[in-house]
Amino acid sequence: PETVEEASRAEALLARELEKLSIEEHEKIVFEVHGIVPLHEEEESMVEKRLEELDQALNQVEQKDAYNLAVRLNPSYVYSRHFRMMFLRCHEFDVAAAADMIVQHFEEKRRLFGDGEILARDVRQSDLSEEGRIILDSGFTQVLDARDAAGRRIVLMSSAGVREFPKGGWDEKNEVNDSEFRRVTTWFSSQLTSTLFLVAISSAPFGIFLCPC
């Protein structure tokens, strides 16, 4: 919101949406924000069952051209346990939601980066254009040294500074290319979810707390 009136409307809208939540849903949101979340046990038998169900759910999706292309390019990447577990954990082992998110992930990645081998591997910093590296250098994302109450890494993300970087603007309207910004955020997200990063935060079972600002 850029004005007091817009801020008031946004607050009223948020209040109305919160009123629609059940007590359990409201408490879950509050607890998660403050790092007070229950530990979800991941029994190996349950995990294996959900991974099998995820395979079945993906096989039932009819429109998944980008996913199928990624499988042909690098099946070991697409079928890897680490890759699929990211989506299952994101949706608390809701198989249907995880399958849909995987399909959408490859569609968006294909739109941003094309049909090349990059589709079936992690995005690297070297894949970014000069404009993308300038966006990255603007410091729009920061990983803080401190952690929240649950032990999660805190990641701050703000596009406000990017809109004015570099001085003089990106084009005639002084606006960042949206696709380029999305490519940068895709690379950054891949770093946060990389195996090395997950090892570094293994003492924090609840993952990462992303704070847009």
Side-chain angles (χ1 to χ4, degrees):
E2 297 182 355
T3 66
V4 174
E5 183 179 354
E6 290 179 350
S8 297
R9 287 201 299 268
E11 289 179 359
L13 177 61
L14 177 60
R16 287 197 298 272
E17 292 301 316
L18 289 174
E19 288 175 357
K20 298 177 183 178
L21 299 176
S22 66
I23 294 176
E24 291 78 12
E25 291 172 328
H26 190 274
E27 287 184 345
K28 181 181 179 181
I29 292 174
V30 172
F31 289 168
E32 286 184 349
V33 168
H34 291 281
I36 309 172
V37 291
L39 179 62
H40 296 285
E41 295 291 340
E42 293 185 1
E43 296 182 1
E44 185 62 24
S45 59
M46 182 276 290
V47 171
E48 291 299 328
K49 182 179 180 181
R50 293 294 180 269
L51 286 169
E52 291 178 6
E53 292 174 349
L54 180 59
D55 286 338
Q56 296 170 6
L58 285 166
N59 288 335
Q60 293 173 0
V61 178
E62 295 182 359
Q63 297 296 327
K64 53 178 188 295
D65 293 343
Y67 172 85
N68 290 336
L69 176 58
V71 170
R72 292 196 297 272
L73 289 170
N74 189 358
S76 62
Y77 176 83
V78 181
Y79 293 141
S80 71
R81 180 188 177 102
H82 166 70
F83 178 78
R84 298 197 169 202
M85 283 295 290
M86 289 191 297
F87 295 90
L88 283 172
R89 284 172 173 151
C90 177
H91 289 286
E92 297 183 342
F93 290 90
D94 182 325
V95 172
D100 181 66
M101 192 176 190
I102 288 175
V103 171
Q104 294 304 316
H105 163 79
F106 283 111
E107 290 295 337
E108 177 67 4
K109 193 174 181 182
R110 185 185 194 183
R111 186 184 73 81
L112 292 173
F113 295 98
D115 294 338
E117 49 88 28
I118 187 176
L119 184 65
R121 64 166 172 79
D122 289 338
V123 180
R124 304 172 187 140
Q125 188 171 344
S126 58
D127 295 317
L128 303 178
S129 67
E130 180 180 357
E131 183 181 19
R133 288 191 286 272
I134 291 176
I135 295 174
L136 189 61
D137 289 341
S138 72
F140 80 100
T141 52
Q142 299 290 330
V143 180
L144 303 187
D145 291 333
R147 300 179 183 236
D148 72 358
R152 298 175 297 187
R153 284 289 189 190
I154 301 173
V155 179
L156 298 180
M157 179 177 290
S158 173
S159 61
V162 179
R163 296 290 172 181
E164 302 173 357
F165 189 93
K167 195 169 184 178
W170 300 92
D171 53 31
E172 294 178 357
K173 296 183 179 180
N174 193 32
E175 294 179 353
V176 176
N177 181 295
D178 181 68
S179 293
E180 196 63 46
F181 186 75
R182 288 178 179 273
R183 280 189 280 270
V184 174
T185 55
T186 299
W187 170 82
F188 188 76
S189 298
S190 71
Q191 298 305 297
L192 292 180
T193 54
S194 67
T195 302
L196 290 177
F197 191 89
L198 291 176
V199 169
I201 64 169
S202 59
S203 60
F206 304 121
I208 302 164
F209 181 65
L210 180 60
C211 181
C213 56

